[in-house]
């Protein structure tokens, strides 16, 4: 599950940074709070990071907005909603992480914009593609039923031997809420699952089911192999290899930082507010960042990945997905203000 990139500071979603006036924002028996006062207070606390986010979003939307449309965002949202067991389960997971549907879609949009930028600005040599192909193992699709105790797992295996339907048993028994309603199905590549799960799954042929429970730190699994395709030729697998290499780039904050910095330097950015004049220095390279500025910079590149990752991890805590994997996430790990490329959009 892919993880990606940029912070969506939802608390400021409705704040207009420019064009302040003396209009009243709030009032009490103590007096009024004007837009000017509110602006100055917010500027002192999160002004730099928010301005970074707004500028980066505007520039990337100008360049790649034709690719990252509302339809594309809605499709990615629907895919994630389905992966996590439907609307009700997904809403619960989002609420746990402080998201609404709209704010999470904002995060998806930013992740996809950054993914589009990284794809556009990244080229791979023939040597890099060949090396990645040599290590490549095609994605497989399996299904699993996760339970807490070995006895229950053995009982499920007995029911399967008597002709029970795997998907129905997954819905009834599995404690992996991220996959249970989907019949336990999960698609993964080598290294994305915990070793015990992966070893047992790869030992199966299409249609086969484990004859004994598979123990992991999450509990006991009954695993069925649905599809294990053969590795194609280099020519046949080149597009897939490039996608994997891009996913690796999206999991690396330094790579994302380099891409975004290059784009920002070509964007003719002018900041009129002198108090925020250094907001983009981390990307424009106009001065050496202090330790504090570096932290803001890393936040601007990675927090969306962290935020979206939090949704992924909340949904997969009880699954066999290895928590050390990226937050994609396109849709990872990972990109502009420390989620995105999110182990999501792009999963």
């Amino acid at each position: 599950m892919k993880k990606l990139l940029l912070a969506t500071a939802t608390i400021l979603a409705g704040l207009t940074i420019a064009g302040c006036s003396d209009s009243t924002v709030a009032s009490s028996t103590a007096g009024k709070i004007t837009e000017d006062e509110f602006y100055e207070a917010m500027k002192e606390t999160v002004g730099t990071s928010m301005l970074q986010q707004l500028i980066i979003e505007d520039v990337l939307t100008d360049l790649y907005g034709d690719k990252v449309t509302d339809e594309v965002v809605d499709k990615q949202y629907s895919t994630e909603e389905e992966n996590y067991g439907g609307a009700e389960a997904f809403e619960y997971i989002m609420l746990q992480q402080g998201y609404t549907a709209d704010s999470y879609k904002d995060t998806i949009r930013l992740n996809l914009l950054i993914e589009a930028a990284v794809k556009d600005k990244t080229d791979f040599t023939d040597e890099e593609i060949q090396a990645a192909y040599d290590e490549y193992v095609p994605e497989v699709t399996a299904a699993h039923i996760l339970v807490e105790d070995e006895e229950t797992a053995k009982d499920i295996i007995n029911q399967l031997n008597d002709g029970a339907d795997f998907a129905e048993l997954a819905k009834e028994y599995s404690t992996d809420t991220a996959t249970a309603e989907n019949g336990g199905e999960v698609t993964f590549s080598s290294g994305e699952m915990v070793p015990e799960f992966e070893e047992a799954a790869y030992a199966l042929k299409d249609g086969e089911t484990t004859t004994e429970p598979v123990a992991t730190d999450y509990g006991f699994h009954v695993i069925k192999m649905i599809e294990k395709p053969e590795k194609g030729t280099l020519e046949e697998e080149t597009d897939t290899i490039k996608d994997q290499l891009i996913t690796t780039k999206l999991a690396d904050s330094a790579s994302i930082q380099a891409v975004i910095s290059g784009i920002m330097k070509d964007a003719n950015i002018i900041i009129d507010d002198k108090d925020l004049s250094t907001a983009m220095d981390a990307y424009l390279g106009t001065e050496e960042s202090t330790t504090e500025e570096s932290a803001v910079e890393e936040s601007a590149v990675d927090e969306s990945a962290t935020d979206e990752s939090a949704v992924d991890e909340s949904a997969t805590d009880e699954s066999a997905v290895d928590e050390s994997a990226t937050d994609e996430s396109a849709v990872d790990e990972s990109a502009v203000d420390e989620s995105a490329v999110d182990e999501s959009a792009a999963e």
Side-chain angles (χ1 to χ4, degrees), residues 78-92:
S78 296
T79 298
E80 296 191 25
E81 182 180 74
E82 182 179 350
N83 287 342
Y84 294 126
E88 185 175 348
F90 192 46
E91 182 179 359
Y92 176 74

Side-chain angles (χ1 to χ4, degrees), residues 4-20:
L4 302 178
L5 320 139
L6 159 68
T8 304
T10 55
I11 193 173
L12 294 178
L15 174 62
T16 303
I17 291 185
C20 293

Side-chain angles (χ1 to χ4, degrees), residues 4-220:
L4 302 178
L5 320 139
L6 159 68
T8 304
T10 55
I11 193 173
L12 294 178
L15 174 62
T16 303
I17 291 185
C20 293
S21 68
D22 289 332
S23 298
T24 300
V25 174
S27 63
S28 69
T29 55
K32 296 180 179 180
I33 298 175
T34 66
E35 285 187 0
D36 281 344
E37 292 170 331
F38 184 63
Y39 170 68
E40 291 299 322
M42 300 307 285
K43 185 169 68 173
E44 290 177 6
T45 54
V46 294
T48 297
S49 61
M50 176 52 64
L51 185 57
Q52 283 180 354
Q53 176 183 318
L54 293 173
I55 291 173
I56 292 169
E57 181 180 359
D58 281 354
V59 172
L60 294 184
T61 298
D62 183 54
L63 292 173
Y64 306 109
D66 59 331
K67 298 178 180 179
V68 185
T69 62
D70 290 344
E71 290 76 13
V72 172
V73 172
D74 288 342
K75 182 178 179 181
Q76 177 64 26
Y77 180 90
S78 296
T79 298
E80 296 191 25
E81 182 180 74
E82 182 179 350
N83 287 342
Y84 294 126
E88 185 175 348
F90 192 46
E91 182 179 359
Y92 176 74
I93 292 167
M94 289 191 298
L95 288 174
Q96 283 185 316
Q97 304 303 323
Y99 283 106
T100 64
D102 287 341
S103 65
Y104 192 67
K105 286 181 181 181
D106 289 340
T107 299
I108 291 174
R109 185 182 303 278
L110 294 172
N111 288 344
L112 293 176
L113 285 169
I114 292 168
E115 181 179 351
V118 172
K119 285 182 176 179
D120 181 43
K121 301 298 182 180
T122 303
D123 292 314
F124 299 107
T125 66
D126 291 342
E127 291 75 16
E128 287 176 310
I129 293 173
Q130 180 65 57
Y133 173 77
D134 292 340
E135 298 294 325
Y136 169 65
V137 176
E139 282 190 336
V140 301
T141 300
H144 81 125
I145 301 170
L146 174 65
V147 294
E148 295 181 355
D149 61 274
E150 187 175 12
E151 183 179 349
T152 302
K154 288 182 176 180
D155 177 60
I156 290 170
I157 291 173
N158 289 333
Q159 291 185 58
L160 291 169
N161 290 336
D162 290 336
D165 182 74
F166 194 101
E168 291 302 318
L169 292 180
K171 293 176 183 178
E172 180 179 353
Y173 287 100
S174 185
T175 60
D176 179 6
T177 57
T179 64
E181 290 303 313
N182 195 35
E185 282 197 24
V186 57
T187 299
F188 57 93
S189 297
S190 178
E192 292 183 355
M193 310 298 281
V194 293
E196 302 91 341
F197 185 101
E198 191 169 290
E199 181 180 353
Y202 275 106
L204 299 171
K205 296 179 181 178
D206 288 4
E208 289 185 341
T209 302
T210 50
T211 57
E212 294 291 335
V214 178
T216 72
D217 290 341
Y218 299 96
F220 293 85

